[in-house]
Amino acid sequence: MKPTDTSNPEYFHKVVDCQWGCPAHTDVPSYIRMIAQGQFSDAYMENRKSNVFPGILGRVCDRPCEPACRRGRVEDKPVAICRLKRVAADHRDDITERLPKAPEKTNGKKIALLGAGCASLTVANDLAPMGYEVTIFEALDTTGGLMRTNIPSFRLPPAVLDEEIGYILDMGVDLKLGHRINSMKDLLDEGFDAVFVGTGAPKGKNLEIPGRYDSDRIHIGIEWLESVAFEHIKEIGKKVLIIGVGNTAMDCCRTSLRLGADDVKVMARKPRGFFKASEWELEDAEEENVEILVNHSPKEFVYEDGKLVGMKFDLMEYNIEENGRIDRGTSTGEVVIPCDDVVLAIGQDNAFPWIERDLGIEFDKWDCPVVNETTMMCTRDGIFFGGDSAFGPKNIIWAVEHGHQAAISIHKYCHGEDLHDRLPMGLNLSTQKMGMHEWSYSNDYDGVSRQLVPHVGLKERFKKLNIEVELGFSAEQAAEEVERCLNCDIQTVFTESLCIECDACLDICPVNCLTITPNGEEQDIRARLKAPALNPDQALYVSGALPHTARVMVKDEDICVHCGLCAERCPTGAWDMQKSTILVPYAADEAASDQPQAATGGAAK
Amino acid sequence: MTYIAKPKISLPNLPKNELGLTTRDYEGAVSTLCAGCGHDSVTAALIQAVFELDIEPHMLAKMSGIGCSSKTPAYFVSEAHGFNSVHGRMPSVTTGANAANRDMTYIGVSGDGDSLSIGVGQFVHAIRRNLNMCYLIENNGVYGLTKGQFSASADIGTKPKKGLPNQQEPIDPASAALALGATYIARSFSGDKEQLIPLIKGAIMHSGFSLVDIISPCVTFNDHEGSTKSYAHTREFYRHVANIDYIHPTEEIRVSYDEGEALPIHLRGGDTIVLRKVDRDYDPTSRADAFKHLRDRFNAGEITTGLLYVNEDRAEMHELMHNIDTPLSRLPYEGLHPGNDELQKLQSRYR
Ligand SMILES: Cc1cc2nc3c(=O)[nH]c(=O)nc-3n(C[C@H](O)[C@H](O)[C@H](O)COP(=O)(O)OP(=O)(O)OC[C@H]3O[C@@H](n4cnc5c(N)ncnc54)[C@H](O)[C@@H]3O)c2cc1C
Ligand SMILES: Cc1ncc(C[n+]2csc(CCOP(=O)(O)OP(=O)(O)O)c2C)c(N)n1
Ligand code: SF4
Ligand code: SF4
Ligand code: SF4
Ligand SMILES: [Mg+2]
């Protein structure tokens, strides 16, 4: 194999599994260390730099970082990254002074942002401090988009939304509430320099089976949740069926319990393992005694005397193929399950009835706009999409990342620059050695297991709709949990010219991830390492020829616990522990980069 | 040295031996030796060897004298017995222990100073007795613990970090053991675990005295240019003559070895090793050949490694003395004590 090119920022970035897994590249290990040292405000600001809404995301993020977390491969449970984010938010001091502010003079460029959801808000967050005149048009009388209308208040209190959205609006954003855009054409006539569409995927999927329209007790999940959020709906029948088993279904069933239902069943068409809902959302629902019935395929609504009394399902049987794929299934019988209300939670669609089709904005066969994944621009210059409106429903953190990228593009567009000529990511490395056996970070492996977030009691929590169920970690729990982080950004960096091949590092490594071996092809090397490298998703770090024997040092990055013992045992300093800082460029960096080439990692913010 | 102990992380796919133990179960305290010391690599090889031999920790005795090398027993198999004796006296203490309990496995870890200077008399007589033990010399050419004075294994002309080159003849422990009639003699290098681990396994399973002389560089006092026991020098001049594979009792000897290339050797204890010659002309069963080869290659400046000599015909100490099979430590008091009448009779003969 060729020696690993560690000058490419991507290599060390990928070693930081959580940061790599995070669409917005949040520097997780850095903020966890800040929490460990009690620097909650710093940890909050570190988060805000990339993910903009730490208090919100610390509660409801989809957390792709956690399944990616290395700790989950060393033991079974990843670090509670998301809940630690909330710790930073809960314990921060007043940080308003540290927030970016709009300059006294604007740059004269007018940007229209459609929708006041997280995508548009991120664009505003990035552009307003640069002097852009930002106007947000929002159809509803309130901000936040689905975060407010659909994510129930028992998971995400409105006060948290108000505060973090307020930070952005206070940067001098012109917010026009109750202002639905009904014609893109008309908007374009208003002479904005660029338009960002962050209107989400607002259409709940319907279920076209017999009896669908014969009752007003059949609800579409996201519309129903919105009505609950706005207190237009305050109650529901005793027996409720939720159709679908995604995250929306979990919010619907838990909301039903708070509106008076006492028998809530989530009806899944497929078996467990094929559910769309995240593991933790399922857990939270089941903790509240929601029943999940598998292999029930909806057939028709059942009425008695014109009143909805139940639903008929096909009982399904499936073959699961060896590759884990499931077939379409066959019906083995029918069953009627009684109910008073039904909530359909089977997905969302995009809908753009207000975009005229003759504006040069191309739509694909699913009626979604054709959007460039890098620039977020559609086929008409100067119009950008982001969040759920761009590629269909995803989640908040993706919407935020889209917002960052769109902000970069908008800046470039307004300055007549090539949208594709974007700043690359940068990399800083700095040694963490402080002395003989001293490292700047807590390098000793701590075997403590994942802390459980305390919840409000099962009786107490149903008393009101907006009682937040999760209480957040106590100080003691946070102190334990931070020690579980393996500091994957403290990289093992190797200098082959110094190695005397004494084997000290190989012998001390607690997870056998180092080997000195003759060079060869990757597949061959993977098989003959001290511990075979079985995870192809994780890189091998391969040195050049070692001075004494011309063999190579190979490190399997997979389960390195970044304990630094290799560096500590190395007599020559051939291994060193160095912190990698991935410099992620934002719009402000693009603006500052007219002279320097590299990103400063959001220094301007 | 390191302050942080190697953390115990229970990895799901760590191999287990017949006893259900992993290599982690055969580890000891965290080493206090210098970072990069060859001795630590030998420790790692020892851990691997005893793990692969399925040795029950409580049936293992780790014996040593004084020196950095003699600290090794602290760093492997914490659950085993250990005796850190006086400088150079490990062979005698082991003789006593072995006399009392012949069922245990004895691994002595010594240094070139411990064995070839102050303890050379003890070393010599343990060989003569063909004491059933595995005797490792972690050979670095210096007294590491006392800051790097030349030991008796330092080569003529080898340079110290400061001061004048050595002028005295070195003692080569392998040649000395050959002359004294040792029955298993091997040499290896701390930086070559592939060769070393099977040699240690063979040495442990061999019945009688087995010596493994391991070049184990002192990274602090003897790893500079001009030293003949440095990593660089050893790498440049060491040659394999004959390596071995240890055959685990549950394994079959599947391979049909080409004559002259590999031959199975049945150890007295019932185990089998397979000899793989690197130098076709080398015959490790011939004492005369081995002696000549060692001298010739030594004079040519080479470091000959591998299984240098093996003799499965000679009886070990207990057999030579016709002792009973049961370890003395397990005999009942009545069996060990002749009784007052017998003692009176015995004493009367000297009156
Ligand atoms: C029930 C439910 C639960 C969810 N839970 C989570 C979760 O726990 N974690 C997570 O990360 N994600 C979750 N999501 C997904 C997440 O809410 C969305 O991915 C995210 O809100 C998308 O943000 P956005 O800014 O693209 O759009 P939205 O949040 O949908 O905001 C769009 C805004 O645009 C406005 N608008 C629409 N059309 C117009 C128009 N023509 N003119 C003016 N304004 C308009 C809307 O009123 C709305 O305010 C959940 C989604 C649902 C439905
Ligand atoms: C009776 C006695 N004499 C002298 C010493 C001092 N002393 C301690 S270790 C040592 C030499 C150790 O050399 P070696 O056995 O080669 O071990 P190394 O440290 O090189 O591994 C000496 C002379 C002692 N401890 N006891
Ligand atoms: S930091 Fe070094 S010793 Fe520790 S697990 Fe990683 S490679 Fe092994
Ligand atoms: S400890 Fe250092 S010198 Fe020794 S093998 Fe490892 S990297 Fe090379
Ligand atoms: S002084 Fe030499 S022999 Fe002793 S621990 Fe240090 S390197 Fe090893
Ligand atoms: Mg020595």
Side-chain angles (χ1 to χ4, degrees), chain A residues 437 501-503 507 568-569, chain B residues 1-2 6 35 40-41 193:
Chain A
H437 304 293
E501 297 174 56
C502 67
D503 283 5
D507 294 336
E568 198 148 298
R569 293 304 285 179
Chain B
M1 64 174 281
T2 311
K6 182 167 170 172
D40 280 336
S41 282
K193 289 203 189 66

Side-chain angles (χ1 to χ4, degrees), chain B residues 39 66-69 87 111-114 118 140 142-146:
Chain B
H39 302 352
I66 299 293
C68 297
S69 37
H87 200 14
D112 41 331
D114 195 57
I118 192 168
N140 54 16
V142 287
Y143 300 164
L145 191 69
T146 53

Side-chain angles (χ1 to χ4, degrees), chain A residues 497-526:
Chain A
S497 59
L498 294 176
C499 177
I500 56 170
E501 297 174 56
C502 67
D503 283 5
C505 52
L506 280 56
D507 294 336
I508 197 71
C509 177
V511 291
N512 296 328
C513 62
L514 303 176
T515 309
I516 298 180
T517 186
N519 207 343
E521 292 299 316
E522 173 158 0
Q523 276 320 309
D524 166 40
I525 289 188
R526 278 185 176 270

Side-chain angles (χ1 to χ4, degrees), chain A residues 142-160:
Chain A
T142 183
T143 55
L146 289 180
M147 298 192 294
R148 193 185 302 272
T149 60
N150 264 243
I151 300 182
S153 52
F154 57 84
R155 287 208 291 130
L156 179 57
V160 176

Side-chain angles (χ1 to χ4, degrees), chain A residues 102 137 159 188 282 304-306 352 358 467 471 481 560 563 577:
Chain A
F137 298 97
L188 292 176
L282 286 165
E304 255 170 37
D305 304 329
F352 301 96
D358 58 356
I467 295 178
L471 295 172
E481 190 64 30
C560 165
C563 62
M577 303 307 290

